Amino acid sequence: MSKTLLFTFLIFLLVSCKSKNENNVTEVDICVYGGTSAGIIAAYTARKQGKSVIVIEPGNYLGGLTSGGLGATDIGNKYAITGLAKDFYRRIGKYYDKFEQWTFEPHVASQVYDDLISEAGLTIHKNRRLVSVKKEDGWIKEIVVEDSKTPSSESNQTVKAKIFIDCTYEGDLMAKAGVSYITGREGNDQYGETYDGVQLSDFHQLPDGIDPYVKPGDPSSGMLWGIDTDSLARHVSGDKKIQAYNFRLCLTQDKGNQISFVEPDNYDATHYELLARIIDKEKWPSIRSNFTVDTLQNGIIKVHNTGGFLIKDMPNGKTDFNNFGGFSTDMIGANYDYPEGNYDTRKKIWKDHEDYTKGLLYFLSHDEKIPQAIREEMLSWGWCKDEFKDLDGFSSQLYVREARRMIGELVMTQKHCVGDEVVDDQVGMAAYGMDSHNCQRLVVNGMVKNEGDVQKRVPKPYPISYRAIVPKENECKNLLVPVCVSASHIAFGSIRMEPVFMVLGQSAATAAVFAINNNTSVQQVDTKKLLEELTKNPLADGSQPEILIDNNDTDNVLIKGMWQTKAGGYGINQLYDDQPGELKTIGYSPTIPKSGEYEIYAYFSKLKGRSTGTWFAVNVNSEEKPLMLQTSSIKEMGLSSGEWVKIGVFNLPKGKNSYVEITNKGADGIVTADAIIWEPVKRKK
């Protein structure tokens, strides 16, 4: 080849490479990294508000844990869930011919996310994972992502955006952007907490007397699999240990829709020897969760766990299997390297959890060390043929309960959870208890014990600070972090629920729009205007919002008679009457913004001794329309505190010319008065 031809060929290669690199550059207003539940809601919000958006998902599936097996929603109080997150569960409800639904099949959740993606016309790039982040003067200018399946610098993609939102469970974009974060548990003294750090609990615990050694009583034989050789650290001290991960499993007993358990990859029955000893000690009557509480002579409360799974019913004969007791689907102590691990490390940890989980079900259903009755019960279950079809029924998302947690200008702590401190820049609420799964399994006083379990209720829904979803301004000016939020370990245990992540995803995207429109950093967003926008435009599409009046809304609720207050229900509390006789009423007076048809719903909590019927009266222009709801027959679905029940459809005039009244008239049990919703019919799809 002549020098001229060689030179021409080299120039051609350089131009081709440059052209190829230029073709792999994407410029948008907002880049969402992570197609989790928060990521899809964030992207939908931004598109509905007129911004160009791209979603980069490192894996192959969208929706995170919500579509990945967690079908029995954990929330604590539905009052905390607003906007598009609440609309998500309304959309789920339509699949089951209900107003809203909080327990659902994974494929239904996936379909709802697909609907949102289609409606907003979202651009989604799956199997693309972060390689690098370029920053200038505190602003992320661009990120580079690679093909997760076949990494190659030639196929790398550059994404430039004005604002970035990290919606991953791991916080990878946050970390590569140089934002401060923590992994593990703080000591209680760091934030003046009670439930952080090392905690030895009776719940989700092994019974006393379980020997830790391969040959009982012989330390020279070595520890059973899964037991840490560390000694128990000082109570409430901090460490780098991570609460256990697992998979939420969608199983069925329907033989026509069932895939049987088979011996999985890397199966080793010795990994479950500890479980066999527990079952023998506790004499399990079933695999289903059960616990009893005894009060000892010294006043100490002792909890006895039996059964290995918390089984929550879902529609169409399916269930959500979750961790329960001393040895279950949580792979305790196997995830310490996950938060900071590289992609290969995480892939191995993920696979280890998959093998462990499949092996657990196979062991319980086939190993002769397990009592025959337990084996037969386990064999009655199987994977669902119509869920996770490309994974043979196995869940698509590892439950990464906690990884990195940002350290922002404000750190949410136990004090915020219990109401000792209240933030003034709310962008969402949380209501679940402070919940940490076990972090380690070790030997205490010669017995095997789990450590790290905490389950403490919060008194009522509490606000989450905007400062908890943005970094410190001197670290990064155009990044929002609605999943790996700025929170202590134990506060994160309350916040880390999928519906809350969706709420914070919407808040983050709306804040991103504000920052772009006003040409400011995310830290300079006016949080009062942000909350106002989230309140008046909850579906991010300009549609008329529903009207909700809770019993604590003194401006719009008129109480006659001596009603009592009871914890629970929707919001902070509910009112109730259990003394029939004197006529008592509660009137709810909405301000109707536009005349038209409205569906009216009343909230009913789970409550024993409820009256068989509750009288309502809908008053329109002084014309009363009384009706009775058969409240004793209300089906109590889901994990949360109750359910909305339709009162009826009414044509209401604009203004304050109508109200709904609840009365104790004719009651033969407890009558409750909680929240009322007016849903515009014309807005419904």
Side-chain angles (χ1 to χ4, degrees):
M1 180 181 293
S2 69
K3 291 183 178 180
T4 302
L5 287 174
L6 178 61
F7 180 76
T8 302
F9 179 68
L10 290 174
I11 292 296
F12 171 76
L13 285 178
L14 288 172
V15 172
S16 297
C17 290
K18 182 178 180 182
S19 175
K20 186 172 184 179
N21 288 335
E22 287 177 349
N23 289 336
N24 281 348
V25 175
T26 301
E27 293 192 45
V28 291
D29 292 321
I30 297 172
C31 172
V32 175
Y33 185 66
T36 59
S37 55
I40 300 302
I41 294 298
Y44 179 92
T45 301
R47 280 296 298 133
K48 284 294 184 178
Q49 296 185 10
K51 301 304 177 187
S52 58
V53 183
I54 188 171
V55 178
I56 303 294
E57 165 51 39
N60 193 44
Y61 303 95
L62 300 173
L65 199 62
T66 297
S67 58
L70 201 165
T73 308
D74 299 318
I75 180 53
N77 194 313
K78 297 172 184 176
Y79 180 80
I81 307 309
T82 55
L84 289 168
K86 180 163 66 175
D87 185 62
F88 174 86
Y89 297 100
R90 298 275 173 85
R91 289 172 180 251
I92 292 283
K94 291 175 185 175
Y95 278 85
Y96 299 111
D97 196 27
K98 294 186 63 179
F99 180 53
E100 66 184 26
Q101 179 78 5
W102 297 74
T103 57
F104 47 85
E105 300 155 275
H107 78 271
V108 173
S110 293
Q111 183 59 58
V112 170
Y113 285 126
D114 287 346
D115 293 344
L116 292 169
I117 291 166
S118 176
E119 288 173 22
L122 294 180
T123 299
I124 310 281
H125 288 197
K126 296 193 292 186
N127 297 305
R128 290 277 169 174
R129 65 192 185 192
L130 189 63
V131 174
S132 62
V133 175
K134 180 180 178 181
K135 281 176 63 182
E136 293 179 6
D137 300 323
W139 296 80
I140 300 174
K141 293 299 181 180
E142 62 186 44
I143 65 172
V144 176
V145 295
E146 66 182 3
D147 190 316
S148 305
K149 292 185 174 180
T150 55
S152 169
S153 59
E154 293 183 357
S155 62
N156 283 358
Q157 178 183 5
T158 298
V159 180
K160 299 181 178 182
K162 298 172 184 175
I163 302 290
F164 292 81
I165 306 177
D166 187 344
C167 290
T168 62
Y169 294 120
E170 296 84 4
D172 286 346
L173 177 54
M174 170 189 74
K176 282 192 178 292
V179 172
S180 298
Y181 64 86
I182 188 175
T183 62
R185 303 179 284 184
E186 300 90 350
N188 267 347
D189 54 355
Q190 183 163 347
Y191 296 118
E193 297 177 305
T194 308
Y195 304 124
D196 215 323
V198 173
Q199 304 277 339
L200 197 62
S201 165
D202 274 340
F203 202 57
H204 295 308
Q205 188 56 273
L206 285 76
D208 290 344
I210 299 293
D211 192 287
Y213 304 114
V214 174
K215 293 182 180 179
D218 182 5
S220 66
S221 65
M223 294 280 195
L224 290 175
W225 180 88
I227 302 175
D228 199 323
T229 57
D230 286 354
S231 299
L232 180 65
R234 178 178 59 85
H235 179 61
V236 307
S237 60
D239 58 26
K240 301 297 289 183
K241 293 180 169 61
I242 307 295
Q243 63 172 308
Y245 299 167
N246 74 338
F247 287 94
R248 296 288 284 259
L249 308 174
C250 184
L251 303 182
T252 184
Q253 290 178 302
D254 178 1
K255 296 300 181 183
N257 186 34
Q258 194 180 84
I259 301 173
S260 299
F261 304 130
V262 297
E263 183 175 323
D265 297 340
N266 308 308
Y267 178 67
D268 186 342
T270 65
H271 289 184
Y272 311 98
E273 173 62 29
L274 182 59
L275 175 60
R277 294 184 187 182
I278 293 170
I279 293 174
D280 181 63
K281 177 80 172 181
E282 294 180 330
K283 308 301 180 188
W284 281 12
S286 169
I287 63 170
R288 288 181 178 267
S289 59
N290 183 47
F291 69 92
T292 57
V293 179
D294 293 337
T295 303
L296 306 182
Q297 288 183 347
N298 56 7
I300 296 176
I301 294 175
K302 196 73 174 177
V303 178
H304 302 277
N305 306 278
T306 62
F309 302 102
L310 183 59
I311 303 175
K312 301 175 183 177
D313 292 334
M314 299 192 300
N316 295 318
K318 298 173 187 175
T319 53
D320 177 344
F321 267 57
N322 193 15
N323 182 82
F324 185 87
F327 195 114
S328 184
T329 56
D330 279 2
M331 194 178 182
I332 299 172
N335 60 347
Y336 299 161
D337 293 334
Y338 187 89
E340 300 274 40
N342 60 28
Y343 295 126
D344 287 340
T345 297
R346 289 183 183 168
K347 182 178 180 180
K348 181 181 184 306
I349 292 172
W350 189 302
K351 175 62 172 169
D352 288 345
H353 279 73
E354 179 181 339
D355 291 345
Y356 165 81
T357 305
K358 291 178 178 178
L360 172 66
L361 302 186
Y362 182 78
F363 181 81
L364 282 170
S365 57
H366 289 82
D367 198 286
E368 292 187 357
K369 288 184 179 179
I370 301 302
Q372 183 176 349
I374 297 295
R375 276 184 280 147
E376 290 177 355
E377 183 183 5
M378 195 72 247
L379 281 169
S380 72
W381 295 92
W383 312 108
C384 300
K385 289 181 180 178
D386 61 348
E387 299 289 351
F388 310 114
K389 293 180 180 179
D390 58 338
L391 298 173
D392 295 324
F394 192 75
S395 304
S396 60
Q397 176 64 54
L398 178 64
Y399 196 166
V400 179
R401 288 192 172 90
E402 187 174 347
R404 298 183 178 102
R405 303 188 309 279
M406 182 170 64
I407 302 176
E409 289 290 349
L410 179 138
V411 177
M412 298 290 296
T413 70
Q414 177 183 327
K415 294 178 181 179
H416 297 106
C417 297
V418 300
D420 290 345
E421 294 182 6
V422 181
V423 303
D424 60 1
D425 56 347
Q426 173 182 327
V427 287
M429 288 185 289
Y432 201 73
M434 292 174 282
D435 180 359
S436 172
H437 282 233
N438 281 304
C439 300
Q440 60 181 325
R441 179 176 287 142
L442 70 176
V443 179
V444 180
N445 298 326
M447 303 177 289
V448 187
K449 290 294 176 183
N450 294 333
E451 183 280 315
D453 180 83
V454 179
Q455 296 177 58
K456 299 295 180 181
R457 295 177 63 86
V458 300
K460 60 184 179 182
Y462 61 90
I464 301 169
S465 170
Y466 179 68
R467 288 165 288 168
I469 68 170
V470 295
K472 297 172 183 176
E473 191 164 15
N474 65 352
E475 293 183 345
C476 192
K477 297 179 173 66
N478 63 333
L479 174 68
L480 294 115
V481 186
V483 176
C484 295
V485 299
S486 179
S488 70
H489 160 70
I490 200 60
F492 189 80
S494 171
I495 295 169
R496 64 172 179 84
M497 301 301 139
E498 289 286 289
V500 176
F501 286 156
M502 286 193 268
V503 170
L504 296 180
Q506 180 175 1
S507 299
T510 306
V513 172
F514 273 41
I516 292 171
N517 290 346
N518 295 300
N519 196 28
T520 67
S521 68
V522 295
Q523 290 82 8
Q524 298 304 315
V525 167
D526 187 325
T527 56
K528 288 185 171 57
K529 290 183 179 178
L530 175 60
L531 181 58
E532 180 183 341
E533 172 65 19
L534 293 169
T535 303
K536 75 178 184 181
N537 189 18
L539 299 187
D541 61 1
S543 62
Q544 181 185 336
E546 70 185 21
I547 303 164
L548 187 149
I549 299 179
D550 186 61
N551 58 278
N552 288 291
D553 185 353
T554 55
D555 291 336
N556 297 294
V557 174
L558 179 62
I559 302 173
K560 295 181 180 180
M562 294 298 294
W563 292 79
Q564 301 178 71
T565 301
K566 184 178 183 65
Y570 194 82
I572 298 173
N573 54 39
Q574 59 191 318
L575 300 178
Y576 79 100
D577 177 66
D578 60 358
Q579 300 293 327
E582 176 193 355
L583 185 63
K584 302 166 189 175
T585 62
I586 299 178
Y588 297 74
S589 300
T591 300
I592 303 297
K594 295 180 181 179
S595 60
E597 285 192 323
Y598 288 79
E599 287 184 349
I600 303 179
Y601 293 84
Y603 194 78
F604 287 89
S605 62
K606 296 180 179 179
L607 190 64
K608 291 182 179 179
R610 185 183 295 281
S611 176
T612 55
T614 298
W615 277 99
F616 287 80
V618 179
N619 191 295
V620 182
N621 289 329
S622 300
E623 180 183 349
E624 190 172 87
K625 302 176 181 180
L627 68 153
M628 175 184 276
L629 291 183
Q630 297 299 317
T631 53
S632 64
S633 62
I634 294 170
K635 188 175 182 182
E636 296 175 348
M637 289 286 292
L639 179 67
S640 226
S641 55
E643 181 161 346
W644 293 103
V645 178
K646 186 174 179 179
I647 297 175
V649 179
F650 301 88
N651 200 324
L652 304 180
K654 180 180 178 180
K656 219 170 176 65
N657 300 306
S658 62
Y659 63 86
V660 173
E661 187 175 77
I662 303 174
T663 177
N664 67 341
K665 179 179 66 174
D668 57 3
I670 299 173
V671 174
T672 60
D674 205 335
I676 305 288
I677 280 178
W678 289 258
E679 174 85 356
V681 171
K682 66 179 180 180
R683 196 198 71 177
K684 294 172 69 65
K685 297 177 182 178

